[in-house]
Amino acid sequence: MYALIDCNNFYASCERVFRPDLNGRPIVVLSNNDGCVIARSNEAKDLGIPMGAPAFEYQELFDKQNVLVFSANFPLYGDMSNRVMAILSEYSPEVEIYSIDECFLKLDGFGMFDLWEYGLQMRAKVLKSTGIPVSVGFAPTKALAKLANRIAKKFPDRTKGVYNMATSELRDKALKWLKIEDVWGIGRRHALRLNARGVKSAFDFTQLNDEWIKKNMAIVGLRLKRDLCGIRTLDLEETKSKKNIATTRSFSNNIVDFEQLRERVSSYAVSCSEKLRKQKSCCKELSIFILTNRHRADQAQYSRSIRIKLPFATNSSIEITKYAIVALKRIFRSGYGYKKAGVIVGDFVPEEAEQLSLFTDKNPRHSALMHALDNMNKKYGKNTVRLSVQEKRMWKMRQEKLSPHYTTDLNDIITIRV
DNA sequence: TCTGGGGTCCTAGGACCC
DNA sequence: TCTGGGGTCCTAGGACCC
């Protein structure tokens, strides 16, 4: 069996942990730049605020309904996630942390356990230790565990937040209940195509013939079908080392100017380099992309990306920025208003396994320099020391409703009046 | 006026090689 | 008039996830 444990309305719940006065009130959390809604409390969902809603379109509703709005506070959510995952990892030796708010447990050899009771224990422990409510679903495969979790979340009164899909009768009943567009792995495009073919439920999907699925949804669709039929196909992913690291941002205004775009891209390259050094890796390739505002049909559109191989593995901000600018020059076209850009590094090798190369101009002194730079920025604050090609004044994200970093910054720890 | 960021995997088509 | 087969690498894009 597998379990899927999922934090309810995770970001909204994190905000609530330190603000119990917000219980029962509608809360939304916004993306970077306070752009769109990325998390909602149940009360906010009941007001009809959809996931991904642009904040400016819903401002009026927020005001009228007294919706509490928060800017995304990722240091807080990341820290709370670590706490939740640490607790859940005690419930099975085989764990896959699937996302910031979800994890799979593999429960082979748990046949003697009353899983529903086991789930209730997890739930209670996480709630008591962190203040975060979770839902738990048990089933024979991962795709079905996702479904079981959905049932637990949808019917909290009947399930107490824990559902065990123990028999094939329960499985078929659940598959018939689940709408095709809500199946894990079926996105908007496939849902449309399937609906047009009369496939309305997950059960209908499991009745399709393999050839059609292979042709229209490739191998991914076939795997999903098997998993939904109860045949173990998707297994726990190994504790995955990342294959890519990205820093990408939308700009609040269009950028026309090459120099301005270069400043931004340089900052993103430096940020990727810092992330690389943090996980003690070097990269051997680098991609960058730039694109115009796709929401503006009246403006000329252009989007392009490029990937380049580096002559040696590196995590030096100086080297990575240098190549990012080389790449940018190759895809930049003047005459467009750019809205977004990003740097992605990949093809990693461990820092200590760096290949020494005779014929490249890798500077061996960079690693000491980067070390010093990281230390200064750690001590005196982010971006205290930076490359001259980066922005003169760091461009600030819009974060008008940011909550304190309750658990990751000593200055933000809550005070309790006695 | 304002519309996120960070990931994964898969496939198609062109260039190029032998 | 008729014009191969098999492979790799790269770019771009599609589709999905949270």
Side-chain angles (χ1 to χ4, degrees):
Chain A
M1 293 291 273
Y2 290 92
L4 175 69
I5 302 100
D6 183 323
C7 300
N8 301 345
N9 313 327
F10 183 52
Y11 299 163
S13 297
C14 287
E15 297 293 348
R16 247 180 202 163
V17 169
F18 299 91
R19 291 281 309 273
D21 58 305
L22 304 184
N23 285 331
R25 300 188 55 188
I27 298 179
V28 298
V29 177
L30 304 182
S31 62
N32 280 348
N33 270 325
D34 294 345
C36 31
V37 173
I38 55 170
R40 306 156 295 159
S41 69
N42 286 340
E43 299 77 10
K45 289 178 187 172
D46 290 343
L47 290 174
I49 301 165
M51 187 66 171
F56 72 90
E57 281 178 13
Y58 282 81
Q59 193 56 52
E60 209 170 306
L61 180 73
F62 295 162
D63 294 341
K64 210 164 79 190
Q65 300 287 346
N66 263 319
V67 177
L68 278 130
V69 180
F70 288 93
S71 303
N73 185 345
F74 290 112
L76 173 66
Y77 312 149
D79 184 65
M80 294 304 289
S81 170
N82 290 339
R83 294 168 192 236
V84 171
M85 298 306 167
I87 294 165
L88 292 174
S89 302
E90 291 168 16
Y91 287 84
S92 168
E94 293 180 89
V95 183
E96 176 191 345
I97 295 174
Y98 177 69
S99 74
I100 193 165
D101 72 333
E102 279 175 62
C103 81
F104 286 101
L105 304 181
K106 195 169 180 178
L107 299 168
D108 284 350
F110 282 64
M112 304 303 285
F113 280 61
D114 179 335
L115 289 179
W116 190 66
E117 280 294 335
Y118 199 52
L120 288 178
Q121 282 175 34
M122 292 180 203
R123 221 182 161 268
K125 177 81 195 267
V126 173
L127 187 63
K128 186 173 179 202
S129 307
T130 67
I132 301 287
V134 300
S135 302
V136 188
F138 296 100
T141 69
K142 285 175 81 176
L144 290 172
K146 270 288 221 186
L147 169 49
N149 180 285
R150 196 182 183 90
I151 294 172
K153 200 174 284 178
K154 185 84 183 179
F155 306 104
D157 297 336
R158 260 187 282 168
T159 63
K160 296 201 163 77
V162 181
Y163 185 73
N164 181 11
M165 190 188 287
T167 65
S168 52
E169 287 74 35
L170 290 177
R171 178 189 74 212
D172 286 349
K173 195 175 158 201
L175 287 172
K176 284 173 184 165
W177 168 79
L178 185 66
K179 284 186 287 194
I180 187 68
E181 58 266 34
D182 294 334
V183 175
W184 181 47
I186 304 280
R188 263 187 47 228
R189 290 305 180 99
H190 287 326
L192 276 175
R193 205 177 315 171
L194 288 162
N195 258 307
R197 240 186 152 255
V199 175
K200 305 291 181 195
S201 70
F203 185 83
D204 297 341
F205 178 68
T206 63
Q207 303 303 304
L208 284 174
N209 73 56
D210 287 359
E211 287 72 43
W212 190 89
I213 296 180
K214 178 86 206 300
K215 183 156 177 286
N216 290 278
M217 302 173 67
I219 191 75
V220 188
L222 272 182
R223 287 186 199 138
L224 177 62
K225 175 186 163 180
R226 287 169 58 85
D227 222 53
L228 285 172
C229 290
I231 307 161
R232 267 194 187 190
T233 307
L234 313 169
D235 201 356
L236 289 197
E237 305 275 332
E238 299 297 314
T239 36
K240 28 193 168 186
S241 43
K242 283 185 193 161
K243 295 181 176 168
N244 290 301
I245 288 178
T247 301
T248 71
R249 291 285 179 279
S250 299
F251 320 133
S252 35
N253 302 100
N254 280 357
I255 291 185
V256 179
D257 207 52
F258 177 78
E259 276 66 39
Q260 277 188 42
L261 200 56
R262 186 178 61 186
E263 285 183 8
R264 297 290 168 89
V265 166
S266 302
S267 292
Y268 306 158
V270 167
S271 158
C272 283
S273 315
E274 286 169 349
K275 292 177 189 173
L276 275 174
R277 297 199 290 274
K278 209 165 192 174
Q279 64 160 47
K280 299 196 184 309
S281 305
C282 290
C283 70
K284 289 193 288 185
E285 76 176 33
L286 173 157
S287 311
I288 80 161
F289 68 84
I290 50 178
L291 42 96
T292 49
N293 190 343
R294 63 179 203 284
H295 296 290
R296 294 291 298 268
D298 58 319
Q299 294 178 358
Q301 298 291 313
Y302 176 73
S303 86
R304 202 154 164 207
S305 66
I306 185 172
R307 180 162 46 159
I308 57 174
K309 294 248 174 263
L310 304 182
F312 45 82
T314 181
N315 59 16
S316 155
S317 297
I318 298 170
E319 300 289 3
I320 291 174
T321 302
K322 188 172 90 187
Y323 287 104
I325 294 171
V326 168
L328 175 64
K329 280 184 181 148
R330 284 174 51 187
I331 60 174
F332 178 84
R333 298 287 175 274
S334 55
Y336 294 98
Y338 293 96
K339 179 63 180 169
K340 184 173 179 177
V343 176
I344 303 159
V345 291
D347 199 0
F348 299 147
V349 291
E351 210 168 38
E352 66 270 20
E354 261 178 79
Q355 287 272 333
L356 291 174
S357 171
L358 278 176
F359 303 107
T360 57
D361 53 357
K362 184 180 174 82
N363 189 330
R365 293 187 299 179
H366 277 196
S367 90
L369 179 59
M370 289 302 128
H371 189 68
L373 203 131
D374 287 339
N375 280 338
M376 278 192 277
N377 283 335
K378 195 171 168 191
K379 190 164 175 187
Y380 300 107
K382 241 172 129 75
N383 289 309
T384 304
V385 187
R386 53 180 185 265
L387 307 186
S388 64
V389 68
Q390 286 179 256
E391 295 143 82
K392 302 290 172 288
R393 207 185 306 131
M394 289 309 291
W395 164 78
K396 273 252 173 17
M397 265 193 313
R398 212 171 82 181
Q399 286 187 312
E400 287 172 0
K401 316 274 188 183
L402 188 60
S403 54
H405 296 78
Y406 297 107
T407 62
T408 56
D409 187 339
L410 273 180
N411 300 314
D412 284 355
I413 283 184
I414 47 173
T415 24
I416 296 171
R417 211 170 305 186
V418 191

